[in-house]
Amino acid sequence: MKTRSERRDKRRYCRFHKEHGHDTEECRDLQSQIDDLIRHGHLCRYVRDQSSLPDSRPPRDPPPRAKGPVKKQIDVIIERSASGGNSSSARKAYARTEKRADAHLRTLAYKKFIARLYDRRVCPRFIRAGDIVLRKAEVSDPTRSHGKLAPNWEGPYRVVDVVQEGTYTLATAKGRVLPRT
């Protein structure tokens, strides 16, 4: 966008640009890209009549293609520095961002692998009315006023009712129903 971020209308948001300033319905860039896709026949199954398209501007040229069979093709978008030059500092900055992105992807893959490994060993336990359970001490004393040597669990309690999965009504051994359980 050409306007400064503090001058844009915060009530209007374009989901195409992911920025404030105008609505998605009013986005000229999105409209022109959709028109180009329709002209090239990529959206023909979604459009009934192509004669209603404005032909005021010529279609964009397709990207250059290699002649003959292509074994491997790598499409790259290179972000240039603000000065417009191809300096060594710009190349180093680009390499750093690539390394960061690669490290981030590896971290996400590792976390996903560890979560899958952990979830494989977890055995779900379903609690029913009448079961004997312990309650985490944080529920009755969220400020931990008894100090770090206080017990972590309270109980035993009997489950009186299952409100929903993970929410239960508990009672003491003498039958007194506990509040906030």
Side-chain angles (χ1 to χ4, degrees), residues 1 9-31 33-34:
M1 301 213 117
D9 188 1
K10 299 292 183 196
R11 293 171 293 171
R12 304 170 84 199
Y13 183 74
C14 177
R15 293 193 324 231
F16 179 69
H17 288 108
K18 296 180 181 160
E19 290 182 346
H20 292 278
H22 65 276
D23 293 327
T24 307
E25 290 83 22
E26 299 171 355
C27 183
R28 288 186 227 120
D29 291 338
L30 176 62
Q31 184 64 38
Q33 287 192 17
I34 290 173

Side-chain angles (χ1 to χ4, degrees), residues 1 16 24 42 46 49 63 89 91 93 105 120 125 144 154 156 174:
M1 301 213 117
F16 179 69
T24 307
H42 297 294
Y46 301 107
D49 184 20
S89 62
R91 286 192 302 270
L105 290 175
R120 202 179 325 158
R125 296 183 186 181
R144 301 288 284 183
E154 300 174 334
K174 295 180 180 178

Side-chain angles (χ1 to χ4, degrees), residues 76-79 89-99:
V76 178
I77 299 174
I78 298 176
E79 183 179 323
S89 62
R91 286 192 302 270
K92 289 177 185 177
Y94 178 73
R96 280 193 302 271
T97 58
E98 287 295 312
K99 282 184 180 179

